[in-house]
């Protein structure tokens, strides 16, 4: 019990249910509390100087009503008593331990996820008003924290082998109270009962590592599904059926995830090199390994969007411009620069939009997760036949749902984001409906769910066969016609389903032309573009 430095997490509740105070900070009667403490020796034997930061949450999860204050005091370890004074002022004396507080991975990752998921720059003026109110409260109140510290050893620690170092876990029970500096004004801060326990950092590290392993595995699966889809549409005609916007939207999502995990890894790894004097060597090694796992997840996301998805984007773009690709390097370079400028323009503008509106992140995610809609629309407009492989549709749908469901549905996620099962159900239904429509188009036709009255007139590849049969019925001679694909004669006297004719009046066998159109959507004889079947 000589050193109580570390992170503590617990609960607070109003004492006797009394809400009557001059500064009613909280809307709820109970919530969570998080300490970040660092202790150092003093010249007085048995007394340690302690400084840190405390966050009182208005409820269980991060919200705008949270109260964050600095504190300093002493820990008398023979009596196991901690006495702290809370203050909102930024003192030079209280900043000595700020390197430790700001570099704690538990604090950094929670602060990072809360900034991404909930805060917004438009709330800055509200936070300033709240800070000024806290400053006023600090001037008029003497807010104190008095707790009794007791040792606590988890059950799983007892299972460790002999000879291994057992880290001491602490439990704090006490009171936060704020009597007014003037006796006639009574209490200005309602007394709070506090129960906190030192955070099991190893468990927190394991949660973060498991999450990064999940992201890495998901990225690997997405690469496999993308390769399967690229093999399915490896021809010019097959690649032209795929929506360029659909692949581009997924590439932008993976680019954002790459930046997000890389930033989280840098925040965690920064503590390994700035607080060496405050931490034990094994904790620094844990932070380095945590940075490596986040960097690995970011690298896999980088591989997905920069190598595979961008390569697929280029293949789709080339399949739609067969003439331009042969006109020379200057023309191709100019069109390629337009393609890449549009992609990175959307990427950067999306970052600015998310920064300005990231309080509405859950609604923005609905926009990102509508990436199947451009393909559905393209299938209907072009009447495309089987542009996407079913394994790709199902696999990408499931893997794309994993990260948002972990963040917003798992109650024990390491990001400390409040679960929202209704939103998760809505997102799953929204994306699942898109995938169901794509599968319906794959097996039943691109326009199977649209009434025939609303469909445009479709070209019939059997229109000239009827006229040829009329010539035969009148006894007129008909010159033999050869299929230029198989070089065999086309018997137009047979049933119309055995012979097809293009808009440019060229006859082919039905099977020959269908196989040809799976490769190229142009006439084998005159190279004119062909309409979909």
């Amino acid at each position: 019990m000589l050193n109580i430095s570390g992170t503590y997490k617990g609960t607070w509740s109003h004492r006797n249910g009394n809400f009557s105070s001059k500064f009613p900070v909280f809307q709820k009667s109970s919530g969570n509390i998080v300490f970040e403490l660092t202790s150092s020796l003093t010249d007085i034997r048995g007394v340690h100087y302690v400084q840190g930061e405390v966050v009182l949450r208005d409820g269980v999860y991060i919200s705008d009503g949270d109260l964050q204050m600095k504190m300093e005091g002493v820990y008398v370890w023979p009596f196991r008593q901690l006495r702290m004074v809370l203050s909102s002022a930024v003192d030079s004396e209280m900043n000595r331990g700020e390197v430790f507080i700001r570099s704690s991975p538990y604090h950094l990752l929670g602060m990072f996820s809360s900034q991404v998921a909930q805060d917004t720059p438009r709330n800055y003026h509200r936070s300033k008003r709240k800070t000024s109110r806290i400053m006023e409260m600090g001037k008029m109140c003497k807010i104190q924290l008095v707790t009794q510290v007791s040792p606590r050893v988890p059950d799983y620690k007892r299972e460790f082998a002999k000879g291994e170092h057992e880290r001491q876990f602490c439990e704090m029970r006490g009171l936060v109270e704020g009597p007014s500096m003037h006796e006639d004004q009574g209490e200005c801060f309602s007394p709070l009962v506090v129960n906190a326990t030192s955070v099991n950092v190893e468990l927190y590290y394991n949660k973060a590592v498991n999450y990064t392993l999940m992201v890495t595995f998901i990225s690997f699966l997405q690469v496999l599904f993308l390769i399967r889809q690229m093999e399915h549409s490896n021809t010019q005609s097959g690649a032209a059926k795929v929506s360029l916007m659909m692949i581009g939207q997924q590439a932008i999502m993976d680019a954002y995830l790459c930046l997000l995990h890389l930033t989280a890894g840098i925040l965690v790894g920064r503590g390994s090199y700035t607080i060496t004097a405050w931490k034990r060597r094994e904790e620094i090694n844990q932070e380095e390994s945590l940075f490596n796992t986040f960097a690995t997840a970011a690298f896999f996301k980088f591989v997905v969007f920069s190598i595979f998805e961008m390569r697929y984007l280029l293949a789709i773009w080339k399949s739609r411009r067969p003439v331009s690709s042969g006109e020379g390097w200057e023309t191709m370079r100019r069109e390629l620069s337009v393609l890449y400028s549009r992609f990175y323009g959307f990427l950067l503008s999306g970052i600015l939009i998310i920064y300005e509106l990231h309080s509405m992140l859950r609604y923005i995610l609905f926009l990102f997760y509508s990436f199947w809609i451009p393909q559905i629309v393209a299938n209907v407009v072009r009447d495309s036949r089987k542009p996407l492989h079913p394994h790709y549709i199902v696999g990408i749908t499931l893997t794309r749902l994993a990260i948002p469901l972990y963040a917003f549905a798992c109650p024990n996620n390491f990001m400390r984001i409040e679960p929202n099962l209704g939103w998760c159900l809505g997102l799953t239904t929204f994306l699942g409906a898109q995938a169901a429509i794509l599968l319906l188009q794959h097996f039943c036709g691109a326009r199977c769910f649209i009434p025939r009255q609303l469909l445009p007139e479709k070209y019939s590849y059997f229109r000239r066969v009827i006229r040829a049969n009329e010539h035969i019925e009148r006894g007129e001679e008909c010159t033999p016609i050869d299929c230029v694909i198989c070089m065999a004669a086309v018997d137009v006297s047979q049933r119309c389903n055995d012979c097809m004719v293009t808009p440019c009046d060229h006859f082919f066998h039905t099977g020959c032309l269908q196989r040809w159109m799976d490769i190229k959507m142009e006439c084998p004889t005159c190279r004119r573009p062909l309409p979909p079947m």
Side-chain angles (χ1 to χ4, degrees), residues 88-144:
S88 59
V90 181
D91 252 349
S92 59
E93 289 294 325
M94 297 183 67
N95 283 338
R96 292 192 299 174
E98 191 170 356
V99 174
F100 172 77
I101 296 166
R102 294 295 181 185
S103 301
S104 171
Y106 184 81
H107 176 78
L108 281 172
L109 283 177
M111 180 180 64
F112 176 70
S113 61
S114 65
Q115 287 290 331
V116 171
Q118 296 179 12
D119 295 340
T120 172
R122 302 193 178 196
N123 292 335
Y124 286 166
H125 63 281
R126 286 188 292 176
S127 63
K128 288 182 179 179
R129 289 201 303 266
K130 183 179 176 181
T131 303
S132 63
R133 188 172 183 177
I134 295 175
M135 294 282 288
E136 183 182 356
M137 181 176 62
K139 293 178 182 178
M140 302 186 63
C141 304
K142 296 184 293 184
I143 304 178
Q144 300 176 356

Side-chain angles (χ1 to χ4, degrees), residues 298-316:
F299 172 75
F300 268 83
K301 281 298 177 184
F302 177 78
V303 169
V304 171
F305 95 88
S306 65
I307 297 179
F308 290 95
E309 288 174 335
M310 291 301 296
R311 177 186 173 186
Y312 199 28
L313 273 177
L314 183 59
I316 297 171

Side-chain angles (χ1 to χ4, degrees), residues 280-304:
R280 298 183 297 142
R281 187 66 220 172
E282 57 267 25
E283 293 179 353
I284 298 176
N285 293 335
Q286 282 179 330
E287 290 180 6
E288 291 177 351
S289 63
L290 193 59
F291 167 75
N292 293 336
T293 55
F294 271 95
T296 303
F299 172 75
F300 268 83
K301 281 298 177 184
F302 177 78
V303 169
V304 171

Side-chain angles (χ1 to χ4, degrees), residues 256-364:
Y256 288 154
L257 289 174
C258 173
L259 294 175
L260 197 66
H261 289 91
L262 186 61
T263 305
I266 292 174
L267 285 174
V268 174
R270 188 181 65 178
S272 304
Y273 307 100
T274 57
I275 55 173
T276 309
W278 298 96
K279 293 193 171 185
R280 298 183 297 142
R281 187 66 220 172
E282 57 267 25
E283 293 179 353
I284 298 176
N285 293 335
Q286 282 179 330
E287 290 180 6
E288 291 177 351
S289 63
L290 193 59
F291 167 75
N292 293 336
T293 55
F294 271 95
T296 303
F299 172 75
F300 268 83
K301 281 298 177 184
F302 177 78
V303 169
V304 171
F305 95 88
S306 65
I307 297 179
F308 290 95
E309 288 174 335
M310 291 301 296
R311 177 186 173 186
Y312 199 28
L313 273 177
L314 183 59
I316 297 171
W317 171 80
K318 289 179 64 177
S319 67
R320 297 181 181 180
R321 291 166 176 79
V323 179
S324 300
S325 60
E327 290 182 353
W329 169 248
E330 290 297 329
T331 304
M332 180 179 291
R333 187 179 65 176
R334 184 165 55 251
E335 295 194 3
L336 275 176
S337 63
V338 172
L339 176 67
Y340 280 100
S341 61
R342 288 179 181 176
F343 174 79
Y344 288 106
F346 279 116
L347 183 66
L348 296 178
S349 60
I351 293 176
L352 296 178
I353 293 174
I354 293 175
Y355 177 77
E356 291 293 333
L357 302 175
H358 61 268
S359 63
M360 304 172 63
L361 179 64
R362 298 182 181 183
Y363 302 100
I364 296 175

